Amino acid sequence: MPSLSKFLADNRGLSEKEADWLQHLIGDWNLLSDLLRADLVLWIQEEEGALAVAHCRPATGSTVYYEDPVGSLSDDGVEGTEVTRLLAGGEPHHRPTAIEREGRTATGLLIPVRKNGRTLAVLAAEHPDDDSRTSHSETQKRRLGGRLLRMLETGAFPIEGAPIPPRRGAPRVGDGVVELDEAGVVRWISPNAISAFHRFGIEGDMEGITLAELSTEVLQSRSPVDESLPLVLMGRAAWRSDMQARGGTLSLRAVPLTDRDGRTGAVILVRDVTELRRRERELITKDATIREVHHRVKNNLQTVAALLRMQSRRMKTDEAREALAEAMRRVSTIALVHESLLQGSQEAVHFDEVIDRCLRLAVDAASATVHRAGTPRLADAQVEVRTRKTGRVGSIRAEEATPLALVVTELATNAVEHGLSETGGTLTIHSERTGSHLLISIEDDGRGMGAAKPTGLGTNIALTLVQGQLGGTLTWDSLDDGGTRAMVEVYLDPLTI
């Protein structure tokens, strides 16, 4: 099934701004659906007829559609004819009509979606018939939903440019609804909203009193107050804000109600987000603690590497100096992973950046007979080694990043020391990832390994890490045009952040 964006992009009768307006409507029409307790279907005009391009089910009531109507064309019946008439610019009747959906009776209402006086689409609001008595709360919500439908008809809803920040805990109709008049006085409040405000510390009857006045009495004087809170409490701006008092937190969203004469009131959605905000604060504290741990580990590892470097300078034999240099390089590689964790999520490492740094580390520390392309030549006998990276690994779990970084560094170092130290050439790392499957090849265009099997401490370390910690395979083969390729194949664990 094509997406709404695809439907709108293929429609020649809508400009880019008009398509964006319909996208804005779809992003906020759950408010309408929940207030009306009705399914919403958006119809646009196509060459073949009226086409349903979006559908929303209410969270506060039952649906009339078991099958998604998106992608279907309107029929030739009375309802389809009315949709076509409205799409052509006709005026709505504003009368609910009896309809049938999948063998059940329902009530439908058709409203044109207009912007700048032009009809862009038609919104069908449909709810199942219910023999039970409608409660006072449900009647009030449907009345408020009807006011928003009239705003939709005149192009006043959704509210253009409403800066609603994308913060978790957005209140919905089922959490609590308050209706304000143009002066900010409470005209009606739902039972769930009353419970939320009572837990917040506001007691007694709230109707007939200014919501801002009620809230000011319980606000914490020492806590910072969002500058947008007064606008939200008065219903003057389409905004979201949090209000804190007595250890609790309420999330508020204001939707001003307007007609042709101006603002006539507002709908305030309210949700108790005390527990959610507490958990967010704990996560922020935990994140800061973990970052500090990674920072200290990185510093400690760099200190160890510096100590090894100092000790290697005191060694009198080349063998001892090389052994300490290898240990220093491995410690530095682990430090790279912790530094990457500092810059991103504490659960994931962007491994492509680690590969870049491993390449530089491997070439710079591999042998005194080589120098990296773009760096000064220290001796006439040095050969030049170029590095190249292709493909992407993406983000991987921190537990897998450390052994994989060590493996890449060891294999890259071996390629330089044994394949390129005499002739120079190009060291290439190619990554290929499909889902959890990861394949990394380290290639050099040097003299090749021939029939000899790779041995040594670095090779043993790489094999142990790949087979033991990563549960993968490590193989070597000779390239046809000279050189050696090492292949690492592993299956990564799912990344959850």
Side-chain angles (χ1 to χ4, degrees):
M1 179 65 62
S3 64
L4 174 63
S5 300
K6 182 69 166 59
F7 280 128
L8 299 180
D10 292 342
N11 188 280
R12 298 180 180 179
L14 295 172
S15 67
E16 184 177 353
K17 288 186 177 180
E18 291 170 341
D20 289 342
W21 179 257
L22 294 181
Q23 288 276 18
H24 189 23
L25 168 63
I26 300 304
D28 203 24
W29 70 345
N30 63 289
L31 171 63
L32 269 173
S33 179
D34 291 346
L35 283 173
L36 297 170
R37 297 187 68 182
D39 286 75
L40 303 181
V41 181
L42 188 70
W43 298 87
I44 64 173
Q45 186 63 50
E46 294 284 357
E47 294 180 359
E48 302 84 358
L51 176 68
V53 295
H55 173 226
C56 177
R57 291 184 173 90
T60 54
S62 58
T63 181
V64 298
Y65 287 97
Y66 289 113
E67 297 293 335
D68 198 330
V70 173
S72 61
L73 294 169
S74 62
D75 54 29
D76 297 329
V78 176
E79 183 186 4
T81 302
E82 180 67 10
V83 170
T84 302
R85 186 184 71 83
L86 292 177
L87 285 171
E91 292 298 321
H93 297 306
H94 296 119
R95 293 193 303 268
T97 58
I99 57 176
E100 183 173 327
R101 289 289 178 264
E102 300 177 0
R104 297 183 301 164
T105 59
T107 300
L109 181 65
L110 297 175
I111 297 294
V113 180
R114 290 172 175 163
K115 184 62 176 174
N116 298 326
R118 181 171 181 266
T119 300
L120 309 182
V122 170
L123 184 76
E126 305 172 358
H127 62 85
D129 291 338
D130 192 353
D131 296 334
S132 62
R133 182 179 178 182
T134 303
S135 66
H136 176 68
S137 178
E138 181 179 342
T139 301
Q140 294 296 328
K141 291 178 182 177
R142 284 184 172 170
R143 179 177 59 82
L144 293 174
R147 295 179 68 178
L148 289 177
L149 284 179
R150 289 193 291 275
M151 291 173 59
L152 180 70
E153 185 179 343
T154 60
F157 183 85
I159 300 174
E160 190 171 10
I164 302 174
R167 191 175 185 187
R168 291 190 300 171
R172 297 191 62 169
V173 171
D175 299 315
V177 182
V178 183
E179 180 189 4
L180 305 181
D181 64 11
E182 62 273 13
V185 177
V186 178
R187 297 183 59 183
W188 172 77
I189 181 169
S190 71
N192 285 351
I194 292 175
S195 298
F197 279 110
H198 283 181
R199 289 193 298 270
F200 192 70
I202 299 176
E203 300 177 353
D205 189 9
M206 298 179 61
E207 293 187 9
I209 306 176
T210 305
L211 182 60
E213 178 184 346
L214 290 168
S215 303
T216 303
E217 297 176 356
V218 297
L219 283 175
Q220 296 176 350
S221 58
R222 296 183 180 180
S223 299
V225 177
D226 191 337
E227 61 182 9
S228 64
L229 181 59
L231 296 175
V232 172
L233 291 174
M234 294 297 293
R236 296 182 181 275
W239 220 292
R240 277 186 58 191
S241 182
D242 281 359
M243 182 169 63
Q244 296 181 359
R246 299 187 181 184
T249 305
L250 295 183
S251 178
L252 304 171
R253 179 192 173 187
V255 181
L257 300 174
T258 60
D259 59 17
R260 299 183 186 277
D261 297 327
R263 190 172 61 85
T264 60
V267 173
I268 307 294
L269 303 182
V270 56
R271 176 183 176 184
D272 188 343
V273 292
T274 303
E275 183 63 19
L276 179 62
R277 295 293 181 257
R278 183 188 66 81
R279 292 180 180 178
E280 287 179 347
R281 289 192 295 270
E282 289 182 350
L283 287 174
I284 292 173
T285 303
K286 177 183 176 182
D287 182 71
T289 302
I290 292 176
R291 289 179 184 275
E292 179 62 23
V293 169
H294 285 306
H295 180 69
R296 295 189 180 188
V297 170
K298 182 204 71 169
N299 288 346
N300 291 338
L301 290 172
Q302 288 178 340
T303 301
V304 172
L307 292 174
L308 290 173
R309 188 182 300 109
M310 292 173 59
Q311 188 66 33
S312 67
R313 293 171 182 170
R314 295 177 177 268
M315 295 293 101
K316 297 180 179 180
T317 64
D318 292 339
E319 184 178 356
R321 281 194 293 270
E322 291 176 2
L324 289 175
E326 289 180 1
M328 179 188 67
R329 185 183 66 246
R330 289 161 187 147
V331 171
S332 299
T333 301
I334 300 174
L336 286 180
V337 175
H338 286 278
E339 186 172 356
S340 298
L341 289 168
L342 274 172
Q343 299 170 356
S345 167
Q346 68 270 19
E347 299 291 342
V349 175
H350 300 294
F351 201 72
D352 296 289
E353 299 176 2
V354 176
I355 290 180
D356 289 333
R357 303 183 69 174
C358 287
L359 272 173
R360 294 194 297 269
L361 182 65
V363 176
D364 291 343
S367 173
T369 62
V370 304
H371 78 283
R372 181 161 47 91
T375 61
R377 186 189 299 269
L378 301 179
D380 294 338
Q382 282 188 318
V383 295
E384 184 179 74
V385 173
R386 297 171 296 276
T387 59
R388 188 165 65 99
K389 180 173 72 73
T390 61
R392 288 189 72 254
V393 176
S395 297
I396 66 175
R397 296 173 66 245
E399 293 84 351
E400 296 167 325
T402 298
L404 193 57
L406 285 169
V407 169
V408 171
T409 304
E410 293 295 338
L411 296 176
T413 303
N414 285 346
V416 174
E417 288 184 340
H418 303 293
L420 303 174
S421 60
E422 295 181 1
T423 62
T426 302
L427 173 65
T428 303
I429 294 184
H430 175 71
S431 306
E432 184 177 336
R433 182 173 180 179
T434 306
S436 62
H437 179 251
L438 174 63
L439 188 65
I440 298 180
S441 66
I442 296 92
E443 302 178 5
D444 68 81
D445 55 1
R447 61 184 181 182
M449 64 178 181
K453 185 178 180 181
T455 58
L457 179 61
T459 300
N460 291 333
I461 290 176
L463 274 171
T464 301
L465 291 173
V466 171
Q467 296 175 355
Q469 293 195 33
L470 299 173
T473 59
L474 173 57
T475 57
W476 286 267
D477 59 5
S478 297
L479 301 177
D480 295 337
D481 53 353
T484 305
R485 175 171 55 202
M487 301 284 293
V488 179
E489 184 177 12
V490 296
Y491 285 88
L492 304 172
D493 290 334
L495 178 64
T496 55
I497 301 178

